[in-house]
């Protein structure tokens, strides 16, 4: 019996090198076929989660506004804050009297115990300095962070400089001024047309159209208009809304919170200004002006402030001014710059009526 067993073992056939190579090739082929599908499924899951965050922010914003006389938080300079809220009773402030940034307002609307800006982020002049303080940034406010965002740390821009009160976090004191602002985990930007403010000394900043009696005239910030233009004859029409969501025209079509920020880490801190707008009134910033009421208009002139590779099909998620969330897909591109010329559905930035506007 033992001899027979040994014979059987000796006759056992091993795999040849060719057979092993064939098996390895088949496995490699299967992996190459499956990997794109797995990657697409992973990216799709991230986009779905991002969209859920958008909807969560919309709900939190509505709760916050309901608790603050139907106003969402103001985003403005110190002059703008003093002008819009001289008695400091319309908007939310921290214990030191510093106006809260909009991510902190979202946290409060979501029921989180955030009382000061440093409960969320850190003060720093530059992103590189803020990156060294990541351990002090609060990761618990997940709804302001897209899982597909590779940059992660960004700035809401306001409050900044002189509107920063005291030295901020007692454990990490940094005085205001000299471009100092807050930085934290943030993938989204706010519509400054809705949450900003124009001073009496400034012309209306929002894109809008004005009828001069015979035709509709496009107004892109007053410095674009001739002094005799009807754009300057409606002083209250076209001004930023100071957080008053109920004043948004067709709120279901106007973006309130957008995905913002570059796709890759960039040394230019200007691209980390998470603000979206339809026009600006300053004659010194003509090269920074958006060219119309839609998101595609903003992106064409502020390309680095909008992601183009974060999600499949270059989609961006949007929380609208009525609180609902949705995805917008670019369906037409500029052949020279490859920037979106049109999204489906159309997403407006300007909160004003676009009656009479025929452009893109």
């Amino acid at each position: 019996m033992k001899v027979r067993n040994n014979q059987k073992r000796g006759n056992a056939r091993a795999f040849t090198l060719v057979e092993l190579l064939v098996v390895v090739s088949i496995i490699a082929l299967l992996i190459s076929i499956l990997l794109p599908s797995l990657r697409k499924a992973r990216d799709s899951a991230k986009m779905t989660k991002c969209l859920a965050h958008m909807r969560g922010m919309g709900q939190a914003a509505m709760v916050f506004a309901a608790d603050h006389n139907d106003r969402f938080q103001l985003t403005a300079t110190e002059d703008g804050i003093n002008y819009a809220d001289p008695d400091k009773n319309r908007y939310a402030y921290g214990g030191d009297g510093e106006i809260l940034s909009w991510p902190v307002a979202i946290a409060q609307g979501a029921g989180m115990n955030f009382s000061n800006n440093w409960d969320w982020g850190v003060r720093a002049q530059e992103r590189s300095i803020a990156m060294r303080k990541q351990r002090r940034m609060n990761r618990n406010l997940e709804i302001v962070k897209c899982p597909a965002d590779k940059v992660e740390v960004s700035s809401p821009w306001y409050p900044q400089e002189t509107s920063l009160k005291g030295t901020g976090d007692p454990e990490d004191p940094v005085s205001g001024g000299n471009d100092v602002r807050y930085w934290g985990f943030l993938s989204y930007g706010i519509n400054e047309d809705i949450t900003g403010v124009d001073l009496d000394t400034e012309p209306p900043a929002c894109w809008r159209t004005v009828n001069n009696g015979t035709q509709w005239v496009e107004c892109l910030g007053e410095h674009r208009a001739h002094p005799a233009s009807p754009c300057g004859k409606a002083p209250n029409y076209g001004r930023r809304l100071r957080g008053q969501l109920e004043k948004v025209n067709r709120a279901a079509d106007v973006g309130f919170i957008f995905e913002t920020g570059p796709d890759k880490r960039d040394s230019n801190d200007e691209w980390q200004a998470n603000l979206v707008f339809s026009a600006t009134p300053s004659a010194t910033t003509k090269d920074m002006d958006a060219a119309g009421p839609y998101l595609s208009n903003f992106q064409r002139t502020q390309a680095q402030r909008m992601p183009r590779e974060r999600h499949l099909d270059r989609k961006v998620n949007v929380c609208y001014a009525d609180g609902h969330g949705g995805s917008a897909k670019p369906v037409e591109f500029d052949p020279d710059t490859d920037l979106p010329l049109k999204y489906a559905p159309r997403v407006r930035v300007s909160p004003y009526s676009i009656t009479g506007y025929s452009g893109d």
Side-chain angles (χ1 to χ4, degrees), residues 35-241:
L35 271 181
S37 297
L38 293 173
R39 188 178 298 113
K40 187 174 182 179
R42 180 197 61 192
D43 293 343
S44 179
K46 288 182 178 179
M47 183 169 182
T48 299
K49 187 173 182 180
C50 174
L51 184 55
H53 289 180
M54 280 287 183
R55 292 167 177 158
M57 283 189 290
Q59 293 174 356
M62 297 303 120
V63 170
F64 180 90
D67 291 339
H68 294 83
N69 298 316
D70 295 324
R71 292 175 184 263
F72 190 70
Q73 193 66 345
L74 189 73
T75 55
T77 62
E78 183 177 29
D79 288 342
I81 295 168
N82 292 334
Y83 177 75
D85 193 12
D87 297 325
K88 303 297 183 291
N89 57 12
R90 291 180 177 175
Y91 304 96
Y93 297 84
D96 57 354
E98 179 176 278
I99 194 166
L100 298 183
S101 62
W102 74 263
V104 177
I106 290 290
Q108 289 190 356
M112 302 182 71
N113 187 27
F114 282 39
S115 301
N116 296 289
N117 286 317
W118 57 85
D119 292 332
W120 165 73
V122 299
R123 286 186 181 187
Q125 283 182 308
E126 303 172 0
R127 185 179 182 279
S128 59
I129 298 174
M131 290 295 289
R132 295 196 289 268
K133 299 181 177 185
Q134 282 192 66
R135 64 184 181 84
R136 294 188 175 276
M137 298 177 189
N138 197 320
R139 294 179 178 269
N140 294 328
L141 188 58
E142 290 191 5
I143 58 174
V144 301
K145 171 74 169 60
C146 172
D149 181 11
K150 297 179 181 179
V151 177
E152 298 186 318
V153 174
S154 194
S155 171
W157 201 251
Y158 295 121
Q160 66 166 233
E161 300 177 338
T162 55
S163 62
L164 301 179
K165 303 303 179 183
T167 55
D169 188 350
E171 297 181 4
D172 181 36
V174 177
S175 298
N178 299 319
D179 296 324
V180 175
R181 56 188 184 274
Y182 282 94
W183 299 79
F185 294 107
L186 182 65
S187 304
Y188 308 108
I190 201 82
N191 186 335
E192 193 177 13
D193 283 11
I194 296 176
T195 61
V197 58
D198 297 328
L199 306 180
D200 276 340
T201 56
E202 298 173 342
C206 301
W207 185 99
R208 72 268 186 221
T209 56
V210 174
N211 194 306
N212 65 4
T214 58
Q215 63 179 340
W216 289 93
V217 180
E218 180 181 356
C219 299
L220 286 159
E222 295 309 294
H223 68 276
R224 290 277 186 93
H226 187 275
S229 167
C231 291
K233 297 179 181 179
N236 294 318
Y237 185 65
R239 292 193 177 277
R240 290 169 173 165
L241 302 184

